[in-house]
Amino acid sequence: MLPSLFIGHGAPNIIFQNNEYTEFLRNYAKTINKPKAIVIFSAHWESNIQSIGSSENYDMIYDFYGFEEELYTIQYKNRSDKDLALKVQELLKTNGISSNLDIKRGIDHGAWTVLKLIYPNIDIPVINMSVNIKLSNEEQYNIGKALEALKKEDVLIICSGGIVHNLSMLNYTSENNINSWAYDFNTWIKDKLYKWDLTQLFNYEKIAPYSKLAVPRSEHFIPLLIAMGAGDTNKSPNLLKSIYQYGNLSLDFWEFK
């Protein structure tokens, strides 16, 4: 059975970077069976209802500015799988979760950067998934839990976001010095994940140290809860790689079997 994954996607130009994190991503596919399809939640697709990408051919979305010109020529024009999209919708419906199919939405950098690093050959169907910041943390978890059964069918669930993600606090001249507030928040989250302490995780905004600094908006944190929910049966989290960039931008790779 395939795992569900939480992957910190960092900046869009992560695909050009060579460090221990990107090296890990480029080699991760060798450690698991090749999936028949991928369901990927992106922090960069927000919607007021859970949306399911079902485009026959995804257009590229370059939802960023100020980066290398080469980045705006990157292609990862994948396709959806209509039957799987309908199955995702049915699983959500069975669990009381409203959703809709979106045939127009393209693929944004929260999805294609991660996919290009792990599966550069573009030979696996992809179901894009939105995030809804209006839902409670428990409801986010339950979205992942509703889709957990897909893992038994060789579908890889990827949730792309960032645990510590505050762009206003980045220091682009700092590579080796980690801000203590970012480290303390991420360490708190790691401890609660390994303990599978849902009560505290669902209330992290109120009780985790420096939560407002680390998570000024929840859209990048939500994918972690979804990935965790998709590992509800075994409750077996494993932090496979974690680094920081620019003082406090955390790049974390969590696997939930």
Side-chain angles (χ1 to χ4, degrees):
M1 184 173 74
L2 290 173
S4 57
L5 308 174
F6 171 80
I7 303 176
H9 61 243
N13 61 0
I14 189 174
I15 63 171
F16 298 148
Q17 296 174 7
N18 292 299
N19 54 49
E20 62 179 289
Y21 189 75
T22 57
E23 181 182 1
F24 177 83
L25 289 179
R26 292 185 178 106
N27 287 285
Y28 178 73
K30 301 173 185 176
T31 70
I32 61 173
N33 293 331
K34 184 176 181 178
K36 293 179 180 177
I38 296 170
V39 171
I40 184 165
F41 290 82
S42 171
H44 290 274
W45 183 8
E46 294 184 48
S47 64
N48 292 328
I49 185 173
Q50 180 61 62
S51 295
I52 304 165
S54 56
S55 173
E56 291 186 4
N57 293 287
Y58 292 121
D59 291 327
M60 295 294 293
I61 299 177
Y62 303 105
D63 50 336
F64 47 83
Y65 60 91
F67 290 89
E68 303 95 319
E69 289 186 13
E70 184 183 357
L71 201 55
Y72 301 88
T73 68
I74 296 296
Q75 295 293 307
Y76 199 91
K77 289 194 174 183
N78 210 318
R79 59 183 174 85
S80 184
D81 180 321
K82 186 63 176 292
D83 290 339
L84 179 57
L86 289 170
K87 183 161 191 175
V88 167
Q89 187 173 43
E90 183 60 30
L91 285 170
L92 293 173
K93 181 180 178 180
T94 300
N95 287 273
I97 301 164
S98 300
S99 66
N100 61 24
L101 298 179
D102 189 316
I103 63 172
K104 296 181 179 179
R105 170 81 180 189
I107 186 168
D108 62 63
H109 84 270
W112 60 253
T113 52
V114 169
L115 293 173
K116 194 167 185 66
L117 284 166
I118 302 177
Y119 294 107
N121 292 334
I122 320 180
D123 58 353
I124 303 171
V126 170
I127 307 295
N128 283 342
M129 303 288 288
S130 68
V131 296
N132 180 358
I133 65 171
K134 295 183 179 180
L135 299 179
S136 69
N137 291 328
E138 184 175 4
E139 288 172 315
Q140 309 292 358
Y141 182 94
N142 287 336
I143 288 173
K145 187 176 179 180
L147 301 182
E148 184 177 16
L150 294 174
K151 294 160 61 173
K152 296 179 181 178
E153 301 179 19
D154 294 325
V155 175
L156 181 64
I157 299 174
I158 299 177
C159 302
S160 174
I163 295 177
V164 182
H165 188 88
N166 187 338
L167 300 184
S168 68
M169 298 296 290
L170 299 186
N171 180 357
Y172 292 99
T173 64
S174 175
E175 280 297 329
N176 298 317
N177 297 320
I178 304 170
N179 296 144
S180 60
W181 60 266
Y183 179 83
D184 289 349
F185 175 80
N186 205 355
T187 299
W188 187 92
I189 294 295
K190 180 172 68 174
D191 176 68
K192 301 306 178 282
L193 277 169
Y194 275 123
K195 293 177 180 176
W196 213 266
D197 191 335
L198 297 182
T199 299
Q200 297 217 44
L201 282 169
F202 291 164
N203 290 281
Y204 79 90
E205 298 102 325
K206 296 179 180 179
I207 57 180
Y210 308 109
S211 63
K212 298 302 181 185
L213 267 179
V215 188
R217 290 188 80 246
S218 62
E219 82 288 344
H220 274 74
F221 191 87
I222 286 169
L224 176 66
L225 298 171
I226 297 173
M228 192 181 183
D232 179 79
T233 297
N234 292 330
K235 297 178 175 60
S236 178
N238 195 9
L239 180 60
L240 299 183
K241 185 62 64 175
S242 180
I243 70 168
Y244 293 84
Q245 291 183 315
Y246 317 127
N248 53 67
L249 182 66
S250 68
L251 299 178
D252 305 284
F253 191 112
W254 282 92
E255 184 182 70
F256 300 93
K257 293 186 175 178

